[in-house]
Amino acid sequence: MSKKILGLVSLMIVTIGLIGCSIIGNIKGDDKDISVDEEMETVEASKNMEEKIVDNDDLAITVTQKYESGSRIYKEIGYIVQIINRKSDTDLEITISDMSVNGKKNKPLWTTTVASGSKLKDEIVWWVGDKSDKYNPNVKTIKDLKNVKGTIVVSDCKTSSNIGKYKINIK
C-alpha cells in the first residue's frame, strides 16, 4: 500500500514539474514584446495649469492640469481637478453636464463624491479611443481641449437635493 502511495506522490511531483516547465517555456519562448505593438502606441502628455472654475463659501474646484494618456485604441484626454468641500456637514456629489468643446457638444465622464470638509483630486475624462466619435466628435488630442463650456451640478449625497449649478468656461 505504501509503495502505491509513494508511486502516486512521485507521479504527481513529476507531472507538476513538467507542467511548470511547460508554462515557463511558453513564457520565455514568446519574444514579441506587446508594449511595442504598433496598435498600442502609448501617449502620455500633460500641461500644468491653475484655473478656478468654482470658488464660493461651500466649494472650490480648480483645474490643475490638462492630460492625455493611453493609446490609439483607448485614450483618455481631460483635466485633473482639485476639489475642496468647505461644508462641514454635507458630503457632496459633483457631476458635469451640457458640455461643449469649441462649440461642439461633448460627453466627458465625471461624477465624484467629496466628503464633508475634505479635499479630493479627480479627473474629468474625455474617452477618445475607438468608436468614441459619437460622444466626443472633435476631441482627439490634448490640444483640442479649447473653449470648454458646461455646467457643474452639485448635490447633497444623502438627500440628492440640488445645492447649486455652476456655469464653467475653461480656456
Side-chain angles (χ1 to χ4, degrees):
M1 181 76 160
S2 65
K3 285 184 179 181
K4 286 183 181 180
I5 292 174
L6 184 60
L8 185 58
V9 169
S10 297
L11 181 62
M12 287 174 48
I13 291 171
V14 170
T15 304
I16 291 171
L18 289 174
I19 292 171
C21 289
S22 173
I23 291 171
I24 290 171
N26 284 340
I27 292 170
K28 286 183 179 176
D30 189 8
D31 289 337
K32 187 169 183 177
D33 182 5
I34 62 169
S35 66
V36 248
D37 187 351
E38 291 156 15
E39 286 299 312
M40 295 296 291
E41 179 184 318
T42 299
V43 175
E44 284 203 31
S46 65
K47 178 184 172 192
N48 290 335
M49 54 192 296
E50 179 96 9
E51 188 171 336
K52 288 189 185 261
I53 55 176
V54 176
D55 192 11
N56 61 34
D57 292 341
D58 297 330
L59 179 69
I61 302 175
T62 304
V63 177
T64 61
Q65 191 174 23
K66 222 186 237 194
Y67 80 96
E68 179 174 5
S69 178
S71 68
R72 288 185 288 178
I73 293 173
Y74 179 83
K75 183 165 48 173
E76 292 179 0
I77 296 173
Y79 296 108
I80 296 175
V81 292
Q82 173 75 45
I83 307 159
I84 302 171
N85 179 354
R86 295 179 176 143
K87 288 182 151 296
S88 61
D89 60 344
T90 307
D91 294 348
L92 300 177
E93 180 179 75
I94 303 170
T95 60
I96 199 161
S97 66
D98 304 323
M99 293 299 291
S100 67
V101 175
N102 230 8
K104 286 197 177 199
K105 192 169 186 153
N106 276 225
K107 292 186 179 181
L109 305 171
W110 192 43
T111 298
T112 193
T113 302
V114 186
S116 62
S118 67
K119 295 179 183 180
L120 174 73
K121 270 194 176 182
D122 206 4
E123 299 168 349
I124 302 173
V125 177
W126 279 259
W127 174 59
V128 296
D130 281 353
K131 302 176 185 170
S132 66
D133 289 343
K134 178 179 174 182
Y135 304 105
N136 303 305
N138 60 328
V139 178
K140 302 295 177 219
T141 70
I142 195 171
K143 293 176 185 174
D144 296 331
L145 285 182
K146 297 184 261 183
N147 194 24
V148 177
K149 295 181 180 181
T151 304
I152 290 180
V153 180
V154 181
S155 305
D156 183 313
C157 280
K158 291 178 186 169
T159 65
S160 296
S161 61
N162 187 340
I163 292 176
K165 289 184 179 185
Y166 306 94
K167 294 286 185 191
I168 61 167
N169 185 3
I170 306 170
K171 298 185 177 14

